[in-house]
Amino acid sequence: MDVYGHVNHANTVTLLEEARIALLFGESARHAGAEHIAKGVVVARIVVDYHAPLVANGGVVRISLSVREMRHAAFTMDYEVHTGPSVDDPVAVTAETLLVPYDLASGRPRRMSEAEKDFLAAWRSGSNGA
């Protein structure tokens, strides 16, 4: 936290990362045949907007994720960080990341597979991820 008791920027970005990892590296991605995304994806761009303080009080926050845009070799993920566990709790932070699937062996970006595209399409804005 910072000197005012708020979650600082570095920890906010870590919260976003943890939510993204839970989605992309989780069981549902593997079941959808999108397990290769967990073998390499890099953040090419991140934008974080703060709307209200996120108080570091040990409480639970809610992070909503959605996929806004998909290209052959990149996708944009949107985040809403709520001040509490409910969707009705105020949004303190919105963010976006541009993510690029990456082949670690060759050291180059790679195109997404059809299974990866299908998995991510289920998380487009307004869908339920199913």
Side-chain angles (χ1 to χ4, degrees):
M1 77 175 107
D2 65 16
V3 53
Y4 302 109
H6 303 147
V7 176
N8 65 27
H9 177 72
N11 286 322
T12 299
V13 171
T14 298
L15 288 172
L16 302 175
E17 178 183 24
E18 290 172 350
R20 180 175 62 248
I21 286 171
L23 174 64
L24 298 178
F25 294 21
E27 240 357 83
S28 59
R30 283 192 293 276
H31 282 10
E35 66 277 353
H36 282 86
I37 207 157
K39 294 181 180 178
V41 64
V42 296
V43 176
R45 180 174 174 265
I46 185 167
V47 176
V48 181
D49 293 314
Y50 296 92
H51 307 283
L54 192 56
V55 179
N57 61 10
V60 175
V61 298
R62 176 186 182 88
I63 303 176
S64 301
L65 302 169
S66 62
V67 174
R68 178 171 17 108
E69 181 180 4
M70 283 192 304
R71 297 183 180 164
H72 294 294
F75 60 98
T76 301
M77 186 168 283
D78 292 325
Y79 309 77
E80 285 186 340
V81 181
H82 297 258
T83 59
S86 171
V87 70
D88 296 325
D89 287 316
V91 173
V93 177
T94 55
E96 66 180 63
T97 52
L98 175 62
L99 298 157
V100 178
Y102 199 78
D103 183 333
L104 296 172
S106 70
R108 300 181 46 85
R110 66 169 180 82
R111 290 184 174 263
M112 288 189 284
S113 69
E114 288 304 315
E116 289 168 328
K117 290 178 192 176
D118 290 344
F119 172 72
L120 293 171
W123 291 93
R124 282 205 184 260
S125 299
S127 68
N128 64 3

